[in-house]
Amino acid sequence: MSVDTVRLPDLWLKRDLLYALLPEGQASLRVSGKVLIDVMRGSRGGLPELSRLMYGDTPASMKTDLYYLAAAFEHFIVKGPEAQIDRAKLDAFIEERGGVLALWPAPILGTFSEFARAALALMRTRPGWTAAREPEAVEALGRTLRAALKGQVEQATDAAGKLRMLWGKQRNWALASSAMDRIIRQPETEIPEIPEGDFVQVVAPPAETDQWVFGFELRADDEAVTAPWPKAGSWFSPCLQRAGEALALLQEYVEEERNPTVVEPGLFSIRLIGVSVPPGVNAPPRLPAALILLTTDTPPDWPYGYAEAMASVTYAGRLNEARKKAIGKEARNRASPFGTKEAIAIPLRARLYHADYQVTPRG
Protein backbone atom coordinates (compact mmCIF):
# COMPACT_ATOMS: atom_id res chain seq x y z
CA MET A 1 0.00 0.00 0.00
CA SER A 2 1.42 3.37 -1.04
CA VAL A 3 1.76 6.11 1.57
CA ASP A 4 -0.15 8.29 -0.89
CA THR A 5 -3.29 6.16 -0.76
CA VAL A 6 -6.05 5.86 1.81
CA ARG A 7 -9.31 3.93 2.05
CA LEU A 8 -12.45 5.97 2.85
CA PRO A 9 -15.61 3.86 3.24
CA ASP A 10 -17.56 7.03 4.12
CA LEU A 11 -16.78 9.09 1.02
CA TRP A 12 -20.24 8.46 -0.48
CA LEU A 13 -21.80 9.86 2.70
CA LYS A 14 -19.67 13.01 2.59
CA ARG A 15 -20.76 13.49 -1.01
CA ASP A 16 -24.43 13.24 -0.01
CA LEU A 17 -23.91 15.69 2.86
CA LEU A 18 -22.29 18.18 0.52
CA TYR A 19 -25.17 17.89 -1.96
CA ALA A 20 -27.57 18.67 0.91
CA LEU A 21 -25.93 22.10 1.21
CA LEU A 22 -26.15 23.08 -2.43
CA PRO A 23 -28.25 26.22 -2.97
CA GLU A 24 -31.98 25.63 -3.24
CA GLY A 25 -33.16 25.18 -6.80
CA GLN A 26 -29.92 23.61 -8.00
CA ALA A 27 -30.87 20.00 -7.25
CA SER A 28 -31.22 19.26 -10.98
CA LEU A 29 -27.70 20.58 -11.55
CA ARG A 30 -25.98 18.19 -9.14
CA VAL A 31 -22.85 16.92 -10.76
CA SER A 32 -23.02 13.46 -12.30
CA GLY A 33 -20.91 10.49 -11.27
CA LYS A 34 -19.22 10.63 -14.66
CA VAL A 35 -18.01 14.15 -13.96
CA LEU A 36 -16.72 13.14 -10.51
CA ILE A 37 -14.69 10.19 -11.78
CA ASP A 38 -13.32 12.27 -14.65
CA VAL A 39 -12.20 14.92 -12.17
CA MET A 40 -10.58 12.30 -9.93
CA ARG A 41 -9.05 10.00 -12.54
CA GLY A 42 -9.48 11.55 -15.96
CA SER A 43 -10.12 8.96 -18.66
CA ARG A 44 -8.78 6.15 -16.45
CA GLY A 45 -12.00 5.50 -14.60
CA GLY A 46 -15.68 4.77 -14.99
CA LEU A 47 -18.77 4.67 -12.80
CA PRO A 48 -17.97 1.22 -11.29
CA GLU A 49 -14.56 2.53 -10.26
CA LEU A 50 -16.18 5.63 -8.73
CA SER A 51 -18.43 3.39 -6.62
CA ARG A 52 -15.46 1.36 -5.41
CA LEU A 53 -13.64 4.55 -4.41
CA MET A 54 -16.66 6.11 -2.73
CA TYR A 55 -17.46 3.03 -0.64
CA GLY A 56 -13.87 2.12 0.29
CA ASP A 57 -13.56 -1.03 -1.82
CA THR A 58 -10.38 0.39 -3.34
CA PRO A 59 -7.99 2.99 -1.88
CA ALA A 60 -7.85 6.49 -3.33
CA SER A 61 -4.81 8.60 -4.08
CA MET A 62 -4.49 11.65 -1.87
CA LYS A 63 -2.40 13.57 -4.43
CA THR A 64 -4.91 13.21 -7.24
CA ASP A 65 -8.22 11.45 -6.49
CA LEU A 66 -9.02 13.05 -3.15
CA TYR A 67 -7.28 16.39 -3.74
CA TYR A 68 -9.30 17.08 -6.87
CA LEU A 69 -12.47 15.71 -5.34
CA ALA A 70 -12.07 18.17 -2.44
CA ALA A 71 -11.51 20.96 -4.96
CA ALA A 72 -14.63 19.93 -6.88
CA PHE A 73 -16.74 19.83 -3.71
CA GLU A 74 -15.48 23.29 -2.75
CA HIS A 75 -16.17 24.58 -6.25
CA PHE A 76 -19.77 23.35 -6.03
CA ILE A 77 -20.34 25.36 -2.82
CA VAL A 78 -18.50 28.52 -3.86
CA LYS A 79 -19.61 28.76 -7.48
CA GLY A 80 -22.42 26.24 -7.82
CA PRO A 81 -22.46 22.90 -9.68
CA GLU A 82 -21.18 22.99 -13.24
CA ALA A 83 -21.71 20.14 -15.67
CA GLN A 84 -18.53 21.07 -17.57
CA ILE A 85 -16.13 21.17 -14.62
CA ASP A 86 -12.77 19.52 -15.34
CA ARG A 87 -9.18 19.39 -14.09
CA ALA A 88 -8.22 22.61 -15.90
CA LYS A 89 -11.09 24.53 -14.29
CA LEU A 90 -10.22 23.13 -10.89
CA ASP A 91 -6.55 24.07 -11.28
CA ALA A 92 -7.65 27.63 -12.05
CA PHE A 93 -10.01 27.58 -9.06
CA ILE A 94 -7.25 26.34 -6.74
CA GLU A 95 -4.88 29.04 -8.00
CA GLU A 96 -7.61 31.62 -7.48
CA ARG A 97 -7.81 30.57 -3.82
CA GLY A 98 -4.07 30.80 -3.34
CA GLY A 99 -3.61 27.03 -3.29
CA VAL A 100 -5.51 26.71 0.00
CA LEU A 101 -8.72 24.64 0.10
CA ALA A 102 -11.15 24.76 3.00
CA LEU A 103 -12.13 21.10 2.45
CA TRP A 104 -8.57 19.75 2.10
CA PRO A 105 -7.00 17.80 3.64
CA ALA A 106 -8.55 17.40 7.11
CA PRO A 107 -12.29 17.60 6.22
CA ILE A 108 -12.13 15.01 3.41
CA LEU A 109 -9.93 12.70 5.52
CA GLY A 110 -11.91 13.23 8.73
CA THR A 111 -15.21 11.82 9.98
CA PHE A 112 -18.53 12.72 8.37
CA SER A 113 -19.29 15.24 11.13
CA GLU A 114 -15.88 16.91 10.68
CA PHE A 115 -16.58 17.18 6.97
CA ALA A 116 -20.10 18.52 7.56
CA ARG A 117 -18.82 21.22 9.93
CA ALA A 118 -16.16 22.32 7.41
CA ALA A 119 -18.68 22.39 4.55
CA LEU A 120 -21.09 24.41 6.68
CA ALA A 121 -18.31 26.87 7.56
CA LEU A 122 -17.61 27.26 3.84
CA MET A 123 -21.29 27.96 3.19
CA ARG A 124 -21.08 30.89 5.61
CA THR A 125 -18.65 32.63 3.24
CA ARG A 126 -21.17 32.69 0.39
CA PRO A 127 -22.63 36.08 -0.52
CA GLY A 128 -26.05 36.54 1.01
CA TRP A 129 -25.55 33.96 3.74
CA THR A 130 -27.15 34.94 7.05
CA ALA A 131 -27.17 33.38 10.51
CA ALA A 132 -30.89 32.77 10.08
CA ARG A 133 -30.12 30.14 7.41
CA GLU A 134 -27.87 28.10 9.71
CA PRO A 135 -30.61 26.05 11.45
CA GLU A 136 -32.13 25.16 8.08
CA ALA A 137 -28.73 24.01 6.77
CA VAL A 138 -28.04 21.89 9.86
CA GLU A 139 -31.50 20.35 9.57
CA ALA A 140 -30.83 19.48 5.92
CA LEU A 141 -27.53 17.84 6.88
CA GLY A 142 -29.13 15.82 9.65
CA ARG A 143 -32.03 14.72 7.47
CA THR A 144 -29.66 13.66 4.70
CA LEU A 145 -27.39 11.75 7.09
CA ARG A 146 -30.25 9.74 8.57
CA ALA A 147 -31.91 9.02 5.24
CA ALA A 148 -28.65 8.04 3.52
CA LEU A 149 -27.53 5.56 6.17
CA LYS A 150 -31.03 4.17 6.72
CA GLY A 151 -31.57 3.70 3.00
CA GLN A 152 -28.20 2.08 2.33
CA VAL A 153 -28.47 -0.41 5.20
CA GLU A 154 -32.14 -1.31 4.82
CA GLN A 155 -31.91 -1.87 1.05
CA ALA A 156 -29.06 -4.35 1.50
CA THR A 157 -30.41 -6.40 4.43
CA ASP A 158 -33.40 -8.44 5.56
CA ALA A 159 -35.37 -7.10 8.52
CA ALA A 160 -34.80 -9.36 11.53
CA GLY A 161 -36.71 -7.55 14.26
CA LYS A 162 -36.28 -5.08 17.07
CA LEU A 163 -33.59 -5.09 19.70
CA ARG A 164 -34.76 -5.18 23.30
CA MET A 165 -33.58 -2.31 25.49
CA LEU A 166 -33.00 -2.96 29.20
CA TRP A 167 -32.18 -0.22 31.67
CA GLY A 168 -32.34 0.72 35.33
CA LYS A 169 -30.57 2.46 38.18
CA GLN A 170 -29.28 -0.80 39.67
CA ARG A 171 -26.26 -2.45 38.11
CA ASN A 172 -25.58 -5.93 36.83
CA TRP A 173 -29.06 -7.34 36.23
CA ALA A 174 -27.38 -10.31 34.58
CA LEU A 175 -25.89 -11.09 38.00
CA ALA A 176 -28.88 -10.13 40.15
CA SER A 177 -31.57 -12.58 41.26
CA SER A 178 -34.25 -10.05 40.32
CA ALA A 179 -32.86 -9.63 36.82
CA MET A 180 -36.05 -10.53 34.96
CA ASP A 181 -38.05 -8.01 36.99
CA ARG A 182 -35.93 -5.24 35.50
CA ILE A 183 -36.68 -5.98 31.85
CA ILE A 184 -38.81 -3.16 30.51
CA ARG A 185 -40.83 -4.19 27.49
CA GLN A 186 -41.97 -1.43 25.16
CA PRO A 187 -44.72 -1.60 22.50
CA GLU A 188 -43.32 -1.98 18.98
CA THR A 189 -44.35 1.54 18.03
CA GLU A 190 -42.97 3.26 21.13
CA ILE A 191 -39.50 4.75 21.56
CA PRO A 192 -38.19 3.93 25.06
CA GLU A 193 -37.23 6.89 27.24
CA ILE A 194 -34.15 6.16 29.36
CA PRO A 195 -33.07 8.59 32.09
CA GLU A 196 -29.56 9.99 31.70
CA GLY A 197 -27.09 8.05 33.84
CA ASP A 198 -29.06 4.76 33.89
CA PHE A 199 -27.31 1.48 33.25
CA VAL A 200 -28.27 0.02 29.88
CA GLN A 201 -28.19 -3.28 28.02
CA VAL A 202 -29.12 -4.18 24.44
CA VAL A 203 -30.43 -7.68 23.63
CA ALA A 204 -30.77 -9.24 20.18
CA PRO A 205 -33.66 -11.69 19.71
CA PRO A 206 -32.97 -15.39 19.06
CA ALA A 207 -31.71 -16.16 15.56
CA GLU A 208 -32.37 -19.21 13.38
CA THR A 209 -28.66 -19.87 12.75
CA ASP A 210 -25.34 -19.18 14.43
CA GLN A 211 -24.22 -15.70 13.49
CA TRP A 212 -21.88 -12.83 14.21
CA VAL A 213 -23.70 -9.66 15.27
CA PHE A 214 -22.09 -6.23 14.99
CA GLY A 215 -22.97 -2.71 13.94
CA PHE A 216 -23.26 0.87 15.07
CA GLU A 217 -25.25 3.45 16.95
CA LEU A 218 -25.82 7.02 15.77
CA ARG A 219 -27.58 10.05 17.11
CA ALA A 220 -30.93 10.25 15.35
CA ASP A 221 -31.17 14.02 15.65
CA ASP A 222 -29.38 16.86 13.88
CA GLU A 223 -26.54 16.88 16.40
CA ALA A 224 -25.15 13.82 14.65
CA VAL A 225 -23.63 16.08 12.00
CA THR A 226 -22.25 18.67 14.42
CA ALA A 227 -21.01 16.54 17.33
CA PRO A 228 -17.63 14.78 17.16
CA TRP A 229 -17.40 10.99 17.15
CA PRO A 230 -17.98 9.24 19.59
CA LYS A 231 -20.68 11.70 20.74
CA ALA A 232 -22.23 11.35 17.28
CA GLY A 233 -22.05 7.55 17.28
CA SER A 234 -20.35 4.39 18.49
CA TRP A 235 -19.42 0.88 17.40
CA PHE A 236 -20.80 -2.48 18.57
CA SER A 237 -17.92 -4.97 18.25
CA PRO A 238 -18.80 -8.48 16.99
CA CYS A 239 -20.44 -11.03 19.28
CA LEU A 240 -21.07 -14.69 18.46
CA GLN A 241 -24.75 -15.59 18.79
CA ARG A 242 -25.83 -19.21 18.92
CA ALA A 243 -28.96 -20.35 17.08
CA GLY A 244 -32.11 -20.12 19.19
CA GLU A 245 -30.49 -17.97 21.89
CA ALA A 246 -30.94 -14.29 22.69
CA LEU A 247 -27.75 -12.25 22.90
CA ALA A 248 -26.76 -9.47 25.31
CA LEU A 249 -24.50 -7.17 23.31
CA LEU A 250 -22.88 -5.14 26.09
CA GLN A 251 -20.44 -6.72 28.52
CA GLU A 252 -21.44 -6.53 32.20
CA TYR A 253 -18.98 -6.34 35.09
CA VAL A 254 -19.01 -6.77 38.86
CA GLU A 255 -17.35 -3.36 39.25
CA GLU A 256 -20.14 -0.82 38.94
CA GLU A 257 -18.06 1.88 37.24
CA ARG A 258 -17.19 -0.41 34.31
CA ASN A 259 -20.77 -1.04 33.26
CA PRO A 260 -22.31 0.88 30.33
CA THR A 261 -24.55 3.84 31.05
CA VAL A 262 -26.31 6.39 28.85
CA VAL A 263 -24.60 9.75 29.25
CA GLU A 264 -25.77 11.98 26.36
CA PRO A 265 -29.39 13.24 26.25
CA GLY A 266 -30.95 12.94 22.81
CA LEU A 267 -32.48 10.53 20.32
CA PHE A 268 -30.38 7.52 19.27
CA SER A 269 -30.69 4.80 16.64
CA ILE A 270 -28.99 1.39 16.74
CA ARG A 271 -28.49 -0.64 13.56
CA LEU A 272 -26.88 -4.07 13.91
CA ILE A 273 -26.36 -6.72 11.25
CA GLY A 274 -26.22 -10.47 11.69
CA VAL A 275 -23.99 -12.55 9.41
CA SER A 276 -24.34 -16.34 9.41
CA VAL A 277 -21.39 -18.54 10.38
CA PRO A 278 -21.09 -22.34 9.98
CA PRO A 279 -22.86 -24.25 12.77
CA GLY A 280 -20.65 -25.18 15.70
CA VAL A 281 -17.95 -22.58 15.08
CA ASN A 282 -16.07 -22.00 18.34
CA ALA A 283 -13.60 -19.39 17.17
CA PRO A 284 -13.67 -16.03 18.98
CA PRO A 285 -16.04 -13.61 17.29
CA ARG A 286 -14.23 -11.42 14.80
CA LEU A 287 -15.02 -9.23 11.85
CA PRO A 288 -15.48 -11.07 8.54
CA ALA A 289 -12.39 -10.91 6.33
CA ALA A 290 -14.13 -8.74 3.72
CA LEU A 291 -15.05 -6.18 6.36
CA ILE A 292 -11.54 -6.23 7.83
CA LEU A 293 -10.25 -5.31 4.38
CA LEU A 294 -12.60 -2.32 4.26
CA THR A 295 -11.07 -1.01 7.51
CA THR A 296 -7.47 -1.50 6.37
CA ASP A 297 -5.46 1.62 5.48
CA THR A 298 -8.16 4.01 6.64
CA PRO A 299 -6.89 7.30 8.17
CA PRO A 300 -4.84 6.48 11.28
CA ASP A 301 -6.38 9.29 13.33
CA TRP A 302 -9.98 8.17 12.87
CA PRO A 303 -11.57 7.60 16.31
CA TYR A 304 -12.21 4.07 17.55
CA GLY A 305 -15.06 2.30 15.81
CA TYR A 306 -15.66 4.90 13.12
CA ALA A 307 -14.03 2.94 10.28
CA GLU A 308 -15.88 -0.24 11.31
CA ALA A 309 -19.24 1.56 11.52
CA MET A 310 -18.88 3.10 8.06
CA ALA A 311 -17.45 -0.08 6.52
CA SER A 312 -20.41 -2.09 7.84
CA VAL A 313 -22.65 -0.22 5.40
CA THR A 314 -20.42 -1.13 2.45
CA TYR A 315 -20.09 -4.71 3.68
CA ALA A 316 -23.85 -5.25 3.87
CA GLY A 317 -24.19 -3.87 0.35
CA ARG A 318 -21.50 -6.16 -1.02
CA LEU A 319 -23.16 -9.21 0.56
CA ASN A 320 -26.36 -8.23 -1.18
CA GLU A 321 -24.58 -7.78 -4.51
CA ALA A 322 -22.93 -11.21 -4.18
CA ARG A 323 -26.34 -12.77 -3.58
CA LYS A 324 -27.82 -11.07 -6.64
CA LYS A 325 -24.95 -12.27 -8.82
CA ALA A 326 -25.29 -15.84 -7.57
CA ILE A 327 -29.06 -15.83 -8.19
CA GLY A 328 -28.50 -14.46 -11.68
CA LYS A 329 -25.87 -17.07 -12.45
CA GLU A 330 -28.14 -19.86 -11.26
CA ALA A 331 -30.99 -18.54 -13.44
CA ARG A 332 -28.74 -18.39 -16.50
CA ASN A 333 -27.50 -21.92 -15.90
CA ARG A 334 -31.02 -23.24 -15.64
CA ALA A 335 -32.05 -21.49 -18.86
CA SER A 336 -29.02 -22.51 -20.93
CA PRO A 337 -28.53 -26.03 -22.29
CA PHE A 338 -24.78 -25.44 -21.93
CA GLY A 339 -24.85 -24.24 -18.34
CA THR A 340 -23.37 -26.30 -15.52
CA LYS A 341 -25.87 -28.41 -13.61
CA GLU A 342 -23.96 -28.10 -10.35
CA ALA A 343 -25.83 -26.34 -7.58
CA ILE A 344 -24.70 -22.77 -7.02
CA ALA A 345 -24.38 -21.62 -3.42
CA ILE A 346 -26.61 -18.61 -2.83
CA PRO A 347 -25.18 -16.46 -0.02
CA LEU A 348 -27.56 -15.06 2.56
CA ARG A 349 -28.14 -11.37 2.94
CA ALA A 350 -27.18 -9.79 6.25
CA ARG A 351 -30.02 -9.52 8.76
CA LEU A 352 -30.86 -6.13 10.23
CA TYR A 353 -31.76 -5.52 13.88
CA HIS A 354 -32.81 -2.07 15.03
CA ALA A 355 -33.80 0.02 18.02
CA ASP A 356 -34.47 3.70 18.62
CA TYR A 357 -34.45 5.22 22.10
CA GLN A 358 -34.54 8.61 23.78
CA VAL A 359 -32.20 9.61 26.61
CA THR A 360 -33.92 12.17 28.85
CA PRO A 361 -31.92 14.73 30.90
CA ARG A 362 -31.21 13.90 34.51
CA GLY A 363 -33.68 15.43 36.97
Side-chain angles (χ1 to χ4, degrees):
M1 178 67 65
S2 167
V3 294
D4 171 55
T5 57
V6 67
R7 196 184 300 268
L8 297 178
D10 69 340
L11 204 52
W12 66 274
L13 184 55
K14 291 168 181 169
R15 175 196 59 195
D16 287 1
L17 290 174
L18 178 117
Y19 287 168
L21 289 175
L22 292 181
E24 187 176 356
Q26 293 189 340
S28 62
L29 300 178
R30 290 179 181 179
V31 69
S32 69
K34 182 65 169 63
V35 170
L36 280 184
I37 193 62
D38 284 348
V39 164
M40 297 171 74
R41 296 205 161 177
S43 60
R44 297 180 294 110
L47 294 183
E49 181 64 15
L50 177 66
S51 177
R52 289 191 288 269
L53 288 168
M54 286 288 178
Y55 287 88
D57 294 290
T58 58
S61 166
M62 288 190 285
K63 292 180 180 178
T64 54
D65 298 336
L66 297 178
Y67 180 72
Y68 279 101
L69 183 65
F73 283 173
E74 193 156 329
H75 191 281
F76 300 156
I77 288 181
V78 173
K79 298 195 174 184
E82 286 189 11
Q84 302 303 316
I85 195 171
D86 54 26
R87 284 279 187 95
K89 284 193 175 184
L90 288 182
D91 284 331
F93 175 71
I94 293 167
E95 183 177 355
E96 176 186 311
R97 298 180 77 78
V100 178
L101 296 175
L103 299 183
W104 177 260
I108 284 286
L109 298 177
T111 64
F112 64 73
S113 55
E114 290 170 336
F115 176 81
R117 290 197 299 272
L120 187 58
L122 187 59
M123 285 293 296
R124 298 188 188 109
T125 67
R126 287 178 55 89
W129 178 268
T130 64
R133 298 179 63 182
E134 184 109 358
E136 181 182 345
V138 172
E139 182 182 356
L141 287 169
R143 185 171 58 249
T144 298
L145 174 70
R146 293 187 294 273
L149 286 171
K150 183 174 184 290
Q152 289 282 341
V153 174
E154 290 187 356
Q155 289 172 20
T157 56
D158 292 328
K162 292 190 68 173
L163 299 163
R164 179 191 298 170
M165 303 293 301
L166 286 67
W167 67 92
K169 300 200 177 298
Q170 301 178 40
R171 64 177 177 87
N172 300 330
W173 44 77
L175 305 176
S177 60
S178 60
M180 294 305 295
D181 294 336
R182 300 176 56 207
I183 295 177
I184 302 177
R185 294 178 173 84
Q186 296 289 333
E188 288 296 311
T189 57
E190 187 174 343
I191 297 177
E193 294 187 0
I194 304 176
E196 179 186 3
D198 270 19
F199 295 104
V200 68
Q201 179 59 275
V202 182
V203 180
E208 295 182 0
T209 63
D210 289 357
Q211 63 178 2
W212 284 311
V213 179
F214 53 88
F216 56 88
E217 174 183 77
L218 289 171
R219 292 194 69 104
D221 50 33
D222 295 340
E223 287 190 43
V225 292
T226 57
W229 192 278
K231 287 188 175 181
S234 59
W235 164 247
F236 281 80
S237 57
C239 296
L240 182 61
Q241 182 179 22
R242 292 302 186 190
E245 298 179 2
L247 174 67
L249 292 152
L250 300 177
Q251 184 67 47
E252 294 183 8
Y253 302 92
V254 174
E255 299 86 354
E256 181 172 341
E257 64 276 5
R258 296 181 63 190
N259 286 283
T261 59
V262 289
V263 295
E264 290 286 337
L267 183 63
F268 294 84
S269 178
I270 301 174
R271 294 296 181 268
L272 305 181
I273 63 174
V275 180
S276 295
V277 297
V281 169
N282 291 314
R286 60 188 299 272
L287 295 178
L291 199 150
I292 291 175
L293 178 61
L294 289 167
T295 63
T296 302
D297 299 308
T298 51
D301 55 350
W302 271 4
Y304 171 76
Y306 180 75
E308 290 82 359
M310 297 298 102
S312 295
V313 180
T314 300
Y315 178 72
R318 298 305 176 253
L319 284 181
N320 187 40
E321 289 176 6
R323 177 177 173 81
K324 289 181 178 178
K325 289 180 180 179
I327 292 174
K329 184 176 181 180
E330 182 182 52
R332 289 191 298 273
N333 281 347
R334 290 178 180 274
S336 172
F338 305 104
T340 177
K341 300 307 178 184
E342 294 181 3
I344 295 175
I346 307 296
L348 296 174
R349 297 212 309 171
R351 292 170 287 281
L352 179 64
Y353 301 90
H354 68 96
D356 297 320
Y357 67 93
Q358 180 83 39
V359 178
T360 56
R362 190 192 306 272

